[in-house]
């Protein structure tokens, strides 16, 4: 099982004390050297060669800036550990920082820092703005030739967070399919400076090591090592990059402006550094040629994203791919809420529709009910009025009938008493007269009773009729021959204004037709004058009716009495000598109407009356069975 040793953890408390001492030392330096009127500008520095060497390397650059930008005293604040550098940066201790690219990315994303320049590093007398990592082993280690040979081997680097010193190499190893953290025997971090890593490998305490490019060449130039002692793993040749290399190249260290540093000062700093001559003592001791505009640091971001190191420890390469994984509960809750809400909406919508439909039905029913109530109320009112009228008519009828019956009854009783008296006096002549009066009154009474019975029969629906085709002219002539004696007795001339053989056929009940004609013609004779005249006409009308007009030259009827004559027992004549019951016309009216016809009258008082009877003409089928 491969194991991993982390030196960083073991020296963390020592490192904190060490950082404190460094800062105290720098502050003392600041106090001693500071121009009391000048504003101190602190440049944080990643001291990967150690504090002393780094100060030697960069102090002149700070002095150069102090000289170029009056009123400001620039001082370098070197810190060996990247976590300490980051921690002080977070506290806002620095105005500018000079550090490796991954440390810069952390400050850019976490603290809003920005690169204002990139270092043009001097290597072998030339300027380079790129660097990478070197993975190496001892020359005589025949077991390790490729990255994959590192499986089960001990690997050493300076710090887990070192950029060129570890992360660039780590990315290369991963892209070659080798994960040192799981496949190496162990990975250790020396802490301190990168030269230590080279020495650890050289002495055989680790099988392979990682340093930034150019480190081996520098140590060789300084006589600390010989290059032929080492073998480079995954060696790469990149044009115009003459150093030993195992990985891709990344932009050199940036000069970083912290968020709170003013733009004006930052511009001055950038300008001063950009215009620094290559032969300036600051450049020479700083081992660089100069500075250039910031390089593209996106490859550094991409590396850190791939390695998932701070500030990209939670970075998702395909955020959506992990979305449901990360937000599974939230997604389920959201979907459930959404579905519930949708169902609720549909449910409310359906209920609403149902309610609207129910309300519509209710309104409709209410409206129908109201209409029915209005109709019923109207019908009831009509019925009530009709009943009241019928009741009135009945009362009137009874009162008229009693009167009509009382008259002949009184006559009978009166003449019977006289008869008794005549019999006692043995006056037979008078007795006969009185008997005749009794007979006359009795016959009248009988006639009354018959007519009332007829009327009652008709009104109770017990009067049966049989509609049949009847040749009207023939019927009228038959009735006239019956009434001939009465007409002659009253010296009345009857003129028929139609052809005797007229073949107009009507639909009627024979008995009712005869009864109606007899009643009307009898009245025309009765209420006429001696030597009076009656004219009878017959016309077929276009509306399917045949009209029979019976006009007389008699008394006529007063206009206000015309409406009454069709009511039972209504006699409107002043002439007491004319016999009658007052029921004939009312019976006639009902009979004519039962047969589907009608009756009307026009009259002028003193000149005569015209009664019109309308009968339905028979249709062709009925005509076949005409009564001849
Ligand atoms: P009545 O038995 O009295 O004739 P009707 O019912 O036949 O009864 O007629 C009702 C009343 O109408 C008569 O009493 C009479 O006053 C009047 N009347 C009917 N026909 C004529 C007519 N042709 N001329 C004048 N009055 C008439």
């Amino acid at each position: 099982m491969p194991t991993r040793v982390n030196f960083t953890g073991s020296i963390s408390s020592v490192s904190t004390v060490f950082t404190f001492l460094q800062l105290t030392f720098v502050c003392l330096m600041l106090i001693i050297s500071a121009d009391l009127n000048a504003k101190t500008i602190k440049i944080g520095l990643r001291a990967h060669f150690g504090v002393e060497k780094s100060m030697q390397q960069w102090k002149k650059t700070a002095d150069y800036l102090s000289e170029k930008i009056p009123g400001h005293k620039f001082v370098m604040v070197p810190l060996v550990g990247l976590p300490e550098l980051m921690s002080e940066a977070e506290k806002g201790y620095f105005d500018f920082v000079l550090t490796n690219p991954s440390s810069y990315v952390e400050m850019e994303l976490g603290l809003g820092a920005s690169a204002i320049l990139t270092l043009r590093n001097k290597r072998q007398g030339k300027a380079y703005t790129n660097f990478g990592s070197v993975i190496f082993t001892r020359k005589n280690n025949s077991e390790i030739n490729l990255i994959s040979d590192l499986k089960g081997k001990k690997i050493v680097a300076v710090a887990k967070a070192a950029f060129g010193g570890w992360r660039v190499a780590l990315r290369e190893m991963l892209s070659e399919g080798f994960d040192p953290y799981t496949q190496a025997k162990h990975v250790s971090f020396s802490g301190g400076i990168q030269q230590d890593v080279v020495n650890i490998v050289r002495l055989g305490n680790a099988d392979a090591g990682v340093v930034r490019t150019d480190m081996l060449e520098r140590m060789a130039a300084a006589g600390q090592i010989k290059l032929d002692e080492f073998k480079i793993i995954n060696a790469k040749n990149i044009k115009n990059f003459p150093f030993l290399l195992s990985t891709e190249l990344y932009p050199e260290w940036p000069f970083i402006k912290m968020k709170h540093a003013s733009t004006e000062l930052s511009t001055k700093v950038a300008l001063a550094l950009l215009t620094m001559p290559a032969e300036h003592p600051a450049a020479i001791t700083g081992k660089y040629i100069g500075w250039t505009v910031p390089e593209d640091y996106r490859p550094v971001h991409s590396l850190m994203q791939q390695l998932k190191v701070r500030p990209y420890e939670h970075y998702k390469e395909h955020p959506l791919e992990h979305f449901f994984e990360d937000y599974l509960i939230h997604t389920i809750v959201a979907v459930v809420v959404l579905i519930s809400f949708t169902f609720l909406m549909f449910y409310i919508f359906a209920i609403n529709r149902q309610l609207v439909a129910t309300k519509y039905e209710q309104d409709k029913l209410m409206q129908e009910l109201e209409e029915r109530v209005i109709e019923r109320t109207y019908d009831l009112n009509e019925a009530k009025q009709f009943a009241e009228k019928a009741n009135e008519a009945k009362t009137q009828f009874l009162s008229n009938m009693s009167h009509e019956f009382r008259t002949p009854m009184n006559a009978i009783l009166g003449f019977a008493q006289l008869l008794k008296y005549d019999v006692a006096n043995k006056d037979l002549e008078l007795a006969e007269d009185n008997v005749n009066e009794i007979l006359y009154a009795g016959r009248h009474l009988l006639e009354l009773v018959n007519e009332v019975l007829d009327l009652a029969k008709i009104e109770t629906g017990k009067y049966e009729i049989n509609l049949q085709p009847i040749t009207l002219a023939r019927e009228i002539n038959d009735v006239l021959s019956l009434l001939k004696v009465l007409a002659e007795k009253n010296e009345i001339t009857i003129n028929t204004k139609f052809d005797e053989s007229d073949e107009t056929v009507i639909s009627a009940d024979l008995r009712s037709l005869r009864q109606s004609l007899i009643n009307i013609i009898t009245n025309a004779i009765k209420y006429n004058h001696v030597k009076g005249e009656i004219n009878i006409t017959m016309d077929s009308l276009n509306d399917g009716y045949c009209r029979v007009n019976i006009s007389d030259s008699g008394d006529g009827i007063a206009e206000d009495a015309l409406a009454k004559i069709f009511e039972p027992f209504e006699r409107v004549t002043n002439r007491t000598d004319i016999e009658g019951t007052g029921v004939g016309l009312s019976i006639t009216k009902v009979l004519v109407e039962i047969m589907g016809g009608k009756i009307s009258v026009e009259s002028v008082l003193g000149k005569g009356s015209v009664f019109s009877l309308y009968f339905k003409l028979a249709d062709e089928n009925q005509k076949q069975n005409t009564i001849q």
Side-chain angles (χ1 to χ4, degrees):
M1 233 353 234
T3 54
R4 193 153 50 92
V5 177
N6 189 338
F7 286 109
T8 315
S10 64
I11 60 165
S12 62
S13 53
V14 177
S15 159
T16 312
V17 175
F18 188 60
T19 306
F20 175 74
L21 290 173
Q22 283 178 70
L23 289 172
T24 316
F25 168 74
V26 171
C27 288
L28 281 171
M29 296 261 296
L30 291 177
I31 294 161
I32 294 162
S33 60
D35 174 350
L36 288 175
N37 294 324
K39 190 182 175 195
T40 304
I41 304 298
K42 289 179 286 273
I43 304 172
L45 174 66
R46 150 73 162 149
H48 64 148
F49 293 119
V51 171
E52 205 178 322
K53 277 196 174 172
S54 294
M55 277 304 281
Q56 276 173 16
Q57 190 182 347
W58 290 104
K59 186 176 177 305
K60 284 199 170 137
T61 302
D63 294 343
Y64 167 80
L65 288 172
S66 304
E67 183 194 317
K68 283 283 174 184
I69 306 168
H72 295 81
K73 176 71 185 168
F74 287 83
V75 290
M76 285 292 175
V77 182
L79 288 169
V80 175
L82 285 169
E84 289 76 22
L85 189 74
M86 184 64 191
S87 159
E88 293 307 315
E90 275 170 358
K91 289 176 197 159
Y93 188 69
F94 309 126
D95 301 291
F96 297 94
V97 173
L98 188 54
T99 185
N100 74 31
S102 66
S103 171
Y104 158 60
V105 164
E106 206 175 327
M107 289 183 193
E108 183 188 20
L109 291 178
L111 307 176
S114 50
I116 56 171
L117 295 166
T118 293
L119 183 68
R120 297 179 73 215
N121 218 340
K122 186 165 123 192
R123 300 287 178 257
Q124 298 173 355
K126 285 188 179 173
Y128 294 96
T129 54
N130 295 317
F131 74 114
S133 292
V134 189
I135 308 167
F136 62 96
T137 183
R138 289 184 305 283
K139 184 97 175 188
N140 57 7
N141 189 339
S142 57
E143 287 180 12
I144 304 172
N145 295 303
L146 303 167
I147 286 180
S148 56
D149 296 334
L150 294 170
K151 278 181 193 164
K153 300 287 186 279
K154 293 186 246 173
I155 301 171
V156 66
V158 66
K160 202 174 182 181
F163 188 68
W166 175 242
R167 286 179 173 172
V168 171
L170 175 61
R171 188 188 203 187
E172 191 70 28
M173 290 178 199
L174 290 172
S175 66
E176 289 293 316
F178 170 69
D179 181 351
Y181 289 132
T182 57
Q183 292 174 292
K185 186 171 184 186
H186 67 69
V187 179
S188 58
F189 297 101
S190 64
I193 57 175
Q194 296 200 20
Q195 282 90 334
D196 296 343
V197 172
V198 179
N199 289 326
I200 289 168
V201 176
R202 192 164 63 94
L203 295 173
N205 292 329
D207 297 310
V210 174
V211 288
R212 59 162 283 159
T213 49
D214 165 43
M215 183 57 67
L216 292 174
E217 286 88 342
R218 263 200 233 186
M219 286 177 76
Q224 294 166 332
I225 55 161
K226 285 183 180 160
L227 281 180
D228 59 6
E229 286 179 276
F230 300 98
K231 180 163 62 175
I232 307 305
I233 300 161
N234 200 43
K236 287 194 178 185
N237 278 320
I238 293 182
K239 206 181 166 193
N240 297 329
F241 192 79
F243 306 104
L244 297 169
L245 174 72
S246 304
T247 64
E248 299 294 319
L249 290 176
Y250 292 84
E252 261 294 356
W253 285 25
F255 196 94
I256 303 159
K257 164 196 173 302
M258 297 312 285
K259 199 177 176 184
H260 64 267
S262 77
T263 308
E264 191 190 348
L265 180 63
S266 304
T267 310
K268 283 179 183 168
V269 167
L271 201 62
L273 291 175
L274 279 170
T275 54
M276 179 192 278
E279 62 281 4
H280 192 280
I284 291 165
T285 56
K287 295 174 187 163
Y288 58 85
I289 298 283
W291 300 85
T292 184
V293 291
E295 284 281 324
D296 180 4
Y297 285 88
R298 280 177 302 176
V300 183
H301 282 270
S302 136
L303 177 144
M304 295 171 80
Q305 285 165 356
Q306 188 188 336
L307 299 185
K308 291 193 170 48
V309 292
R310 196 176 152 185
Y312 287 113
E313 58 269 58
H314 303 300
Y315 176 75
K316 303 278 191 292
E317 211 170 334
H318 303 291
L320 272 182
E321 226 174 68
H322 300 274
F323 179 83
F324 291 113
E325 213 174 276
D326 295 349
Y327 297 101
L328 186 66
I329 300 291
H330 305 75
T331 311
I332 290 171
V333 170
V335 168
V336 168
V337 167
L338 199 74
I339 291 171
S340 314
F341 187 70
T342 311
F343 272 110
L344 192 71
M345 287 296 290
F346 274 113
Y347 182 66
I348 291 171
F349 182 70
I351 284 190
N352 203 30
R353 273 185 61 171
Q354 226 173 331
L355 280 175
V356 169
T358 313
K359 175 132 195 337
Y360 176 76
E361 282 297 316
Q362 271 183 354
D363 288 352
K364 211 170 135 190
L365 282 174
M366 279 297 287
Q367 204 178 336
E368 278 176 15
L369 202 68
E370 274 173 24
E371 279 170 11
R372 269 196 213 170
V373 168
I374 291 168
E375 265 174 36
R376 266 297 167 86
T377 312
Y378 181 80
D379 289 350
L380 283 171
N381 276 338
E382 289 251 291
K384 191 178 161 224
Q385 280 173 13
F386 181 78
E388 280 170 1
K389 273 189 184 165
N391 202 31
E392 263 174 44
K394 194 176 152 195
T395 313
Q396 185 64 37
F397 174 81
L398 286 172
S399 133
N400 290 349
M401 197 173 74
S402 315
H403 173 76
E404 292 303 322
F405 274 76
R406 197 179 289 135
T407 311
M409 281 301 288
N410 282 339
I412 290 168
L413 290 172
F415 286 115
Q417 265 183 346
L418 287 173
L419 181 63
K420 195 178 173 187
Y421 185 75
D422 295 340
V423 172
N425 289 337
K426 300 201 181 2
D427 186 346
L428 288 178
E429 219 172 298
L430 269 178
E432 192 183 351
D433 286 351
N434 288 330
V435 166
N436 283 338
E437 288 297 338
I438 289 169
L439 283 174
Y440 174 77
R443 271 198 295 273
H444 180 68
L445 198 57
L446 182 65
E447 198 181 337
L448 257 179
V449 169
N450 284 339
E451 288 196 336
V452 168
L453 285 176
D454 278 352
L455 196 63
K457 239 185 191 176
I458 295 165
E459 290 201 334
T460 53
K462 285 178 184 159
Y463 186 85
E464 283 179 13
I465 61 158
N466 176 25
L467 291 178
Q468 53 190 315
I470 298 169
T471 308
L472 186 57
R474 186 186 165 88
E475 251 352 277
I476 295 172
N477 284 325
D478 282 358
V479 168
L480 286 179
S481 59
L482 278 177
L483 297 174
K484 198 176 165 192
V485 179
L486 183 65
E488 281 172 0
K489 188 180 155 199
N490 289 275
E491 296 180 49
I492 305 294
T493 312
I494 300 178
N495 306 310
T496 48
K497 305 276 179 161
F498 54 87
D499 195 345
E500 206 171 305
S501 57
D502 188 290
E503 289 193 344
T504 303
V505 179
I506 59 161
S507 165
D509 173 65
L510 190 60
R511 187 158 61 104
S512 305
L513 175 66
R514 284 186 180 161
Q515 177 75 54
S516 304
L517 289 172
I518 288 169
N519 283 351
I520 301 297
I521 298 169
T522 306
N523 281 351
I525 296 168
K526 279 198 307 186
Y527 299 104
N528 218 326
H529 301 295
V530 179
K531 301 210 186 296
E533 214 175 65
I534 295 174
N535 291 309
I536 302 176
T537 61
M538 204 175 75
D539 299 294
S540 289
L541 306 175
N542 290 334
D543 57 1
Y545 283 89
C546 176
R547 181 181 60 203
V548 179
N549 276 351
I550 299 157
S551 57
D552 63 63
S553 54
D555 302 337
I557 305 161
E559 201 179 338
D560 59 337
L562 276 177
K564 292 186 192 168
I565 59 172
F566 294 105
E567 298 297 324
F569 306 111
E570 289 289 350
R571 305 201 70 202
V572 296
T573 180
N574 297 324
R575 288 169 56 182
T576 50
D577 59 316
I578 300 174
E579 289 177 17
T581 58
V583 181
L585 275 184
S586 46
I587 289 179
T588 305
K589 184 172 184 284
V590 178
L591 289 177
V592 171
E593 283 171 0
I594 284 175
M595 291 186 286
K598 62 178 180 180
I599 184 168
S600 64
V601 60
E602 283 178 13
S603 186
V604 179
L605 197 60
K607 291 211 163 166
S609 311
V610 182
F611 281 83
S612 301
L613 296 170
Y614 295 82
F615 298 105
K616 266 189 166 179
L617 285 165
D619 58 29
E620 287 307 314
N621 287 342
Q622 286 175 312
K623 279 182 187 171
Q624 308 290 324
N625 309 310
T626 308
I627 294 172
Q628 295 297 324

